[in-house]
Amino acid sequence: MSNTYGYVRVSTREQNEERQMIAMRDMGVPEDNIYMEKQSGKDFERLQYRRLVRRMKKDDLLYIKSIDRLGRNYEEIQCQWRVLTKEKGVDICVIDMPLLDTRRGKDLVGTFLSDIVLQVLSFVAENERTNIRQRQAEGIAAARERGVRLGRPPAPLPPNFHDVYLRWRDQEISVKQAAVECRMPKSTFYYRAKDYGTDGNGSAPAPPRR
């Protein structure tokens, strides 16, 4: 007896998978048969996807909302499609693209059309991934040009930092001694001290590291 499954994927933990989950329920996929994960589509090394593939057997049906939910790597999408449909004998239905439903048109013409659509959509999925990465890189570069600091905000400075900084700035103590007094690694103290002097809080630029 064949079973129906659904695969849901979002790229980050901030994205919401509810739209895909609703589509799976509308298709009548049992809740226990929906495999969902929050992971990049750059490859198929995904825990839930691997579990899904192991569980499915010949004549089972797999629903995905769109081809980019399966993945975003042109060659790997087509490879996985062949593994599922040819090697495991599973049917696949891409909800947003009715032409990609292996239950229909299993003759030569139908298979030919499906292959063409799959190639186009998997290319589009990878191209979009490339564009996303480019936009991210451009956004980071633009932010840095504006002086925006990226990443986690630095931890608060210890209460004695100002006094220790002044003694180190005046070369009364070494960077190693200053780091010990502030209970931080030498590299961290020096980095924070440079910022402290540059921002004007230290009244004068930091001296060379010693």
Side-chain angles (χ1 to χ4, degrees):
M1 183 176 179
S2 61
N3 292 304
T4 301
Y5 296 91
Y7 180 68
V8 171
R9 183 188 67 81
V10 291
S11 298
T12 67
R13 295 194 178 279
E14 288 74 28
Q15 292 179 329
N16 194 318
E17 70 279 2
E18 189 57 29
R19 187 173 64 91
Q20 295 179 66
M21 295 295 289
I22 290 172
M24 296 302 154
R25 297 183 191 113
D26 288 345
M27 294 296 112
V29 181
E31 203 76 24
D32 291 344
N33 288 359
I34 300 176
Y35 286 73
M36 192 280 292
E37 57 195 340
K38 299 190 175 186
Q39 192 169 338
S40 167
K42 65 180 181 179
D43 57 45
F44 284 86
E45 295 303 318
R46 310 178 214 137
L47 180 60
Q48 292 303 317
Y49 179 78
R50 291 298 183 189
R51 287 177 175 172
L52 169 64
V53 172
R54 286 197 299 268
R55 187 177 173 188
M56 287 190 298
K57 60 184 184 300
K58 183 176 171 55
D59 295 328
D60 284 344
L61 172 62
L62 172 64
Y63 281 106
I64 54 174
K65 184 74 169 64
S66 58
I67 197 67
D68 62 342
R69 296 307 87 200
L70 183 62
R72 286 191 179 274
N73 182 296
Y74 177 74
E75 292 184 357
E76 290 198 19
I77 289 174
Q78 296 188 72
C79 177
Q80 286 298 312
W81 189 277
R82 286 192 295 270
V83 168
L84 294 173
T85 59
K86 306 300 184 187
E87 296 179 17
K88 294 190 70 74
V90 172
D91 277 314
I92 305 176
C93 176
V94 180
I95 299 171
D96 287 351
M97 180 52 63
L99 280 174
L100 284 180
D101 185 343
T102 59
R103 295 170 298 178
R104 302 176 182 177
K106 296 205 175 193
D107 57 6
L108 184 60
V109 174
T111 301
F112 176 70
L113 289 174
S114 294
D115 285 347
I116 291 177
V117 174
L118 175 61
Q119 289 184 43
V120 171
L121 292 181
S122 55
F123 170 79
V124 170
E126 178 165 346
N127 191 57
E128 177 60 16
R129 174 173 169 259
T130 301
N131 290 339
I132 289 172
R133 292 173 65 184
Q134 182 176 345
R135 288 195 295 268
Q136 289 173 337
E138 290 172 351
I140 291 171
R144 284 176 175 162
E145 287 182 5
R146 296 195 306 271
V148 176
R149 293 188 178 183
L150 304 173
R152 293 182 301 176
L157 293 171
N160 65 335
F161 186 86
H162 181 74
D163 292 337
V164 173
Y165 169 84
L166 293 178
R167 288 162 56 212
W168 171 71
R169 186 197 66 186
D170 296 337
Q171 300 187 9
E172 296 175 10
I173 59 174
S174 68
V175 67
K176 181 178 180 181
Q177 291 171 304
V180 169
E181 290 190 32
C182 290
R183 298 184 178 180
M184 58 176 61
K186 283 198 317 182
S187 58
T188 302
F189 175 83
Y190 188 70
Y191 172 77
R192 300 299 297 274
K194 285 182 67 177
D195 276 356
Y196 197 69
T198 301
D199 292 342
N201 295 321
S203 302
R209 186 172 184 174
R210 66 182 180 89

